[in-house]
Amino acid sequence: MAEPAPQAVLDSLRPRLERLATLDSPALEVEHIAILGRKSGALTALLRSLAVLPPDDRKRIGAAANELRKSFEVAFDARRAELAGPRHGGAGSGLDPTLPGRRRWVGAIHPVTRVVEEICEIFHGLGFNRAVGPEAETEWYNFQALNFPADHPAMDMHDTLYVDVGGDARPGDGKAVLLRTHTSPVQVRTMLAGPPPVRVVIPGLVYRKDTFDPSHAPVFWQIEGLAVDRGISFVDLKGTLLHFARQFFSAATRVRFRPSYFPFTEPSAEMDVSCYLCGGSGCAACKGTGWMEILGCGMVHPDVLRNCGVDPDVFTGFAFGMGPQRIAMQRYGIPDIRLLFDGDMRFLSQLAGAGA
Ligand code: 2NL
């Protein structure tokens, strides 16, 4: 049988150019072999047969065939790229290149983390090292070592989360296990670990049997500090905490100490700072008083030193404790402590840019 006329071959191939855009990958490769295949491709065969045509036909058919070959090569490449993935944004790729770009989320430090870090850094500048310890403790470390009387309400099952670890330990015998109600057990461990001088600052989570409400949480942050050495007095306590307040709030911050009570310190005090919003004249943030309560503090009780292996006739010390979440709420005007636990980006992103 005679070969089909070259012009008829060209005419039959042209419609197949348009159809390439509808083929899937396997069909596309079959079509590539059928048209451009080196051995049996229809267009390849046509180009090879040009040599036997009369010169006029050769020129005319040759030019048309070469142009069609280029068109097929471009069309095959385009369809292959389209099938390879949506990144080219072609029709049917699912990508609309006219949409505005999505902004990448920029991370930010959580406001509580920021406050904890700032506070620890200020004390680090005064020679306090950071220490951490277990969140499940025995009663002895959490209560007895710290001079809590046996009938202190904090030891009650209703106020403290006891952990049932089996065995015969009973609440009140010192061996029962509980979720620490303050970070003080870490200070006890630090004193027992080696002789003074001791200067530590301890950030960590503590637990109370409280339900969530705007100002309470069953788990919250505390930062405690402890300095024990020869000759430490209340003057050192005041100077240290004044320096802290001026670094954390502002150089103009004033402090005042009010007598208080803790079983583990004597004397004990609460420290207020002049309101950093109104400067002390009275505003909504300080409830008109001009002052904000920031922390509790005192001189370490001699019995506590003794319980921790430190001779109170040789050494004295001061200690303090504060709630960084409460301080973050005051600083950033956060009305509900639960917002600090939710991880809600609508809330957190409002604070992401807030500086000191
Ligand atoms: C507060 C008050 C305070 C301490 C914590 C402490 C620890 C040892 C010995 C003596 Cl080992 N004291 N810690 C002292 C006074 C106050 O915390 O209101 N915290 C939120």
Side-chain angles (χ1 to χ4, degrees):
M1 211 174 89
E3 293 280 320
Q7 187 60 54
V9 175
L10 285 178
D11 292 344
S12 73
L13 286 176
R14 233 173 234 113
R16 290 162 77 173
L17 188 60
E18 305 294 319
R19 283 208 302 272
L20 292 190
T22 68
L23 300 180
D24 62 12
S25 279
L28 191 68
E29 296 318 313
V30 169
E31 186 71 344
H32 188 262
I33 291 164
I35 296 172
L36 294 179
R38 222 176 298 158
K39 281 188 191 149
S40 57
L43 197 48
T44 313
L46 178 67
L47 286 160
R48 241 184 242 133
S49 73
L50 290 175
V52 303
L53 294 180
D56 277 358
D57 285 357
R58 191 191 307 162
K59 208 170 167 196
R60 187 174 49 81
I61 303 282
N66 265 313
E67 202 168 307
L68 189 61
R69 180 177 56 86
K70 274 187 207 142
S71 300
F72 267 111
E73 280 168 357
V74 168
F76 275 113
D77 282 350
R79 182 61 182 156
R80 278 189 187 127
E82 194 172 32
L83 290 167
R87 65 183 177 278
H88 297 279
S93 67
L95 184 104
D96 179 352
T98 66
L99 283 173
R102 280 193 200 147
R103 210 172 277 244
R104 200 181 268 261
W105 279 28
V106 178
I109 304 293
H110 191 279
V112 174
T113 309
R114 179 159 35 192
V115 166
V116 168
E117 288 305 309
E118 268 182 50
I119 293 172
C120 289
E121 273 308 303
I122 292 168
F123 284 102
H124 190 223
L126 294 170
F128 286 70
N129 289 314
R130 206 183 291 216
V132 291
E135 291 178 14
E137 277 286 6
T138 62
E139 270 181 330
W140 189 83
Y141 282 100
N142 194 79
F143 292 131
Q144 272 96 337
L146 289 151
N147 223 16
F148 277 72
D151 61 352
H152 193 283
M155 288 182 61
D156 197 281
M157 304 276 284
H158 293 284
D159 291 306
T160 294
L161 293 155
Y162 283 82
V163 183
D164 186 357
V165 291
D168 52 9
R170 292 278 171 274
D173 69 3
K175 291 188 204 122
V177 175
L178 46 84
L179 297 182
R180 68 185 183 192
T181 61
H182 45 192
T183 51
S184 311
V186 188
Q187 283 140 291
V188 173
R189 288 175 178 279
T190 304
M191 284 188 274
L192 285 168
V198 168
R199 271 176 295 182
V200 284
V201 61
I202 295 144
L205 290 170
V206 301
Y207 300 83
R208 307 268 168 99
K209 206 167 171 182
D210 267 325
T211 42
F212 276 110
D213 72 22
S215 53
H216 294 88
V219 50
F220 57 95
W221 279 88
Q222 192 182 23
I223 298 180
E224 278 187 86
L226 172 74
V228 182
D229 204 348
R230 287 181 166 86
I232 289 205
S233 75
F234 206 89
V235 174
D236 301 298
L237 177 156
K238 287 179 87 170
T240 301
L241 295 180
L242 174 64
H243 172 82
F244 158 70
R246 290 189 168 162
Q247 291 277 306
F248 186 81
F249 296 105
S250 82
T253 301
R254 289 165 291 122
V255 299
R256 73 176 182 188
F257 291 84
R258 290 177 289 107
S260 185
Y261 174 79
F262 302 107
F264 32 82
T265 47
E266 181 59 34
S268 306
E270 305 277 351
M271 185 178 90
D272 299 340
V273 295
S274 53
C275 177
Y276 57 91
L277 283 181
C278 64
S281 54
C283 68
C286 58
K287 299 194 183 83
T289 65
W291 294 97
M292 284 182 168
E293 189 184 317
I294 290 299
L295 55 79
C297 56
M299 300 305 292
V300 182
H301 196 291
D303 288 344
V304 174
L305 290 175
R306 216 171 275 120
N307 292 340
C308 297
V310 175
D311 183 349
D313 292 329
V314 180
F315 297 105
T316 50
F318 68 80
F320 55 89
M322 62 186 117
Q325 285 170 314
R326 254 190 39 151
I327 294 173
M329 289 167 72
Q330 288 174 349
R331 181 193 255 189
Y332 302 117
I334 299 164
D336 190 321
I337 194 169
R338 291 171 291 192
L339 288 163
L340 296 175
F341 292 93
D342 289 344
D344 186 334
M345 288 305 295
R346 291 169 302 180
F347 162 72
L348 291 172
S349 59
Q350 292 178 54
L351 295 176

